[in-house]
């Protein structure tokens, strides 16, 4: 009988081995105790092969990772070893990056990191687009390329409930492209110069630093040299880009009074009667309880050109016709000049935070 029981046990199916819920990314995998890869994309690919509903954490060791990873699996945590030690970087630019995008669009194709999934947490690392924007900016026409947008982070159309904590997003033009659902950024740095937080998504940035970077082209005193936000929020959406309890700073070389809080972006859309800027994209941006340094322009808000029906960029959108708002500003650049801004949000910041990031159980 003992022999029969032993023989039967040989033919019983082995218990399924649990799929790992954590991976490591390291320059060398020799000493890793976790399933290990030498590239972030390889670890993301391994995570994507797990179709279970479990969360998967990818631990990225200190080091420089030159790649363009895409997150497509829901419930992924991508965590580095600190923004000063773990750096993800790539140097694509919109002028030549169309082949990276499913529809051939250069701006999203330029992104160093793309998130196209739900329930994603990114923490403790730097994401940088290293395209040499300043070298191009120093050129005169026609030597300058026409499309110098270079995205560090793209929150793509299927993204939602994305949380960024203790990250540094570094670029120049179009650093952070919010093109999906809801996102929360906390205790982080976002640096750039032209429209460097933009898109039609809902994003709450709080307890963070928004750093304006210099331009290489000559500055005309009193003009706008750069723009922090360029929302294209659809009218059906109550909130767009909300910056709360954060510090607006300028790096060395940024002139005083040269930077706008936001300008209204109306993406060009093809209609039956021709090509013109989308009238349903009425951008929403709020700056609430923020420190504003002296680089902020006295008008605070700027106009933005759109494409008219004849195909020329002559349609002008005014901040007064957009959904722009600020309250509780302080610091050398906080006092605005009166330019006729009248729009007010229907909800206070408590309700706005809950609507954008209530899923993150924000309690602060």
């Amino acid at each position: 009988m003992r022999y029969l029981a032993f023989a039967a046990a040989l033919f019983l199916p082995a218990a399924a081995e649990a799929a790992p819920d954590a991976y490591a990314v390291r320059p060398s995998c020799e000493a890793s105790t976790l399933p290990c890869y030498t590239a972030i994309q390889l670890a993301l690919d391994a995570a994507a092969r797990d179709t279970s509903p479990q969360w998967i954490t990818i631990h990225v060791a200190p080091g420089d990772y030159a790649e363009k990873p895409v997150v497509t699996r829901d419930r992924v945590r991508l965590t580095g070893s600190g923004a000063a030690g773990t750096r993800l970087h790539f140097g694509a630019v919109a002028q030549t990056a169309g082949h990276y995008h499913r529809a051939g669009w250069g701006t999203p194709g330029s992104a160093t990191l793309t998130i196209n999934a739900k329930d994603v947490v990114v923490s403790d690392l730097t994401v940088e687009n290293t395209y040499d924007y300043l070298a191009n900016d120093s050129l005169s026409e026609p030597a300058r390329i026409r499309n110098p947008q270079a995205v560090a982070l793209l929150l793509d159309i299927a993204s939602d409930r994305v949380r960024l904590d203790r990250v540094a997003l570094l670029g120049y033009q179009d650093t952070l492209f919010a093109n999906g659902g809801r996102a929360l950024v906390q205790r982080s740095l976002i640096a750039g110069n032209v429209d460097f937080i933009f898109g039609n998504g809902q994003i709450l940035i709080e307890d963070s630093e928004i750093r304006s970077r210099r331009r290489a082209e000559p500055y005309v005193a009193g003009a706008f040299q750069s723009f922090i936000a360029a929302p294209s929020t659809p009218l059906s959406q109550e909130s767009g880009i909300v910056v709360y309890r954060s510090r607006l700073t300028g790096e060395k070389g940024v002139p005083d009074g040269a930077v706008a809080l936001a300008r209204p972006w109306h993406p060009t859309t093809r209609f039956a009667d021709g090509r013109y800027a989308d009238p349903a994209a009425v951008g929403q941006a709020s700056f609430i309880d923020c420190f504003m340094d002296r680089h902020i322009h006295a008008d605070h808000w700027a106009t933005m050109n759109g494409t008219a029906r004849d195909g020329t960029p002559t349609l002008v959108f005014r901040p007064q016709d957009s959904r722009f708002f600020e309250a509780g500003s302080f610091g050398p650049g906080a006092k605005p000049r009166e330019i006729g801004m009248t729009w007010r949000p229907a909800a206070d910041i408590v309700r706005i935070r809950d609507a954008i990031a209530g899923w993150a159980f924000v309690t602060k």
Side-chain angles (χ1 to χ4, degrees):
M1 292 291 292
R2 221 179 297 172
Y3 170 79
L4 291 175
F6 173 74
L10 292 177
F11 295 97
L12 289 176
E17 186 175 336
D21 62 359
Y23 299 90
V25 177
R26 306 176 59 164
S28 172
C29 286
E30 291 176 2
S32 178
T33 58
L34 293 172
C36 184
Y37 300 89
T38 57
I40 294 171
Q41 187 63 66
L42 293 176
L44 289 169
D45 291 343
R49 290 191 288 270
D50 179 350
T51 58
S52 77
Q54 73 172 343
W55 278 87
I56 292 180
T57 301
I58 297 173
H59 300 277
V60 187
D64 275 5
Y65 300 87
E67 52 179 307
K68 268 178 113 289
V70 180
V71 181
T72 58
R73 185 195 189 276
D74 298 344
R75 298 191 175 186
V76 166
R77 298 186 186 93
L78 184 65
T79 180
S81 301
T86 302
R87 176 173 172 255
L88 168 62
H89 60 96
F90 203 83
V93 63
Q95 183 84 359
T96 56
H99 64 282
Y100 289 114
H101 187 262
R102 58 186 171 271
W105 296 340
T107 297
S110 72
T112 298
L113 174 63
T114 296
I115 298 175
N116 202 29
K118 298 174 176 61
D119 299 312
V120 176
V121 179
V122 179
S123 61
D124 296 296
L125 52 77
T126 289
V127 181
E128 182 175 4
N129 191 309
T130 56
Y131 166 69
D132 194 347
Y133 177 92
L134 293 179
N136 182 67
D137 202 36
S138 67
L139 300 175
S140 57
E141 300 290 352
R144 183 185 297 182
I145 67 168
R146 296 181 59 190
N147 299 297
Q149 301 88 351
V151 176
L153 173 64
L154 167 63
L155 303 176
D156 212 347
I157 56 175
S159 68
D160 193 27
R161 299 186 299 272
V162 175
R163 183 172 182 172
L164 308 174
D165 193 9
R166 299 182 301 274
V167 302
L169 304 178
L170 308 181
Y172 284 91
Q173 184 169 352
D174 291 6
T175 303
L176 171 55
F177 188 178
N179 196 40
R182 296 160 292 173
L184 170 65
V185 180
Q186 295 177 302
R187 297 173 289 186
S188 295
L189 166 66
I190 307 173
N193 54 25
V194 176
D195 304 333
F196 64 98
I197 305 171
F198 76 110
N200 61 17
Q202 298 179 77
I203 184 165
L204 170 65
I205 303 165
E206 65 176 23
D207 301 322
S208 295
E209 180 184 355
I210 311 298
R211 184 183 300 167
S212 292
R213 305 183 77 176
R214 66 186 182 92
R215 299 283 304 273
E217 68 175 11
Y219 173 60
V220 177
F224 289 103
Q225 186 184 64
S226 298
F227 315 88
I228 294 174
S232 56
T233 322
L235 274 171
S236 59
Q237 195 167 286
E238 186 175 6
S239 296
I241 298 169
V242 179
V243 182
Y244 177 49
R245 288 189 320 211
S246 294
R247 299 176 65 249
L248 278 53
T249 65
E251 71 175 17
K252 185 178 180 180
V254 175
D256 292 350
V259 178
L261 297 180
R263 60 178 179 170
W265 177 37
H266 290 245
T268 302
T269 304
R270 184 173 295 281
F271 292 89
D273 60 352
R275 189 173 171 85
Y276 68 102
D278 188 351
V282 181
Q284 197 288 309
S286 295
F287 291 79
I288 300 172
D289 297 343
C290 290
F291 169 82
M292 299 183 183
D293 214 339
R294 60 185 72 255
H295 65 299
I296 299 301
H297 193 284
D299 287 355
H300 280 203
W301 314 99
T303 61
M304 190 171 190
N305 287 351
T307 306
R309 285 188 170 90
D310 64 3
T312 61
T314 56
L315 194 59
V316 177
F317 294 100
R318 308 186 315 146
Q320 295 86 347
D321 301 322
S322 303
R323 294 179 289 166
F324 291 166
F325 175 74
E326 64 173 302
S329 305
F330 62 99
K335 186 176 180 181
R337 182 157 49 211
E338 176 56 52
I339 62 169
M341 303 297 293
T342 60
W343 185 86
R344 297 290 183 273
D348 61 18
I349 186 59
V350 175
R351 288 173 54 198
I352 292 170
R353 291 172 81 234
D354 185 63
I356 298 177
W359 47 270
F361 304 105
V362 177
T363 59
K364 292 191 291 182

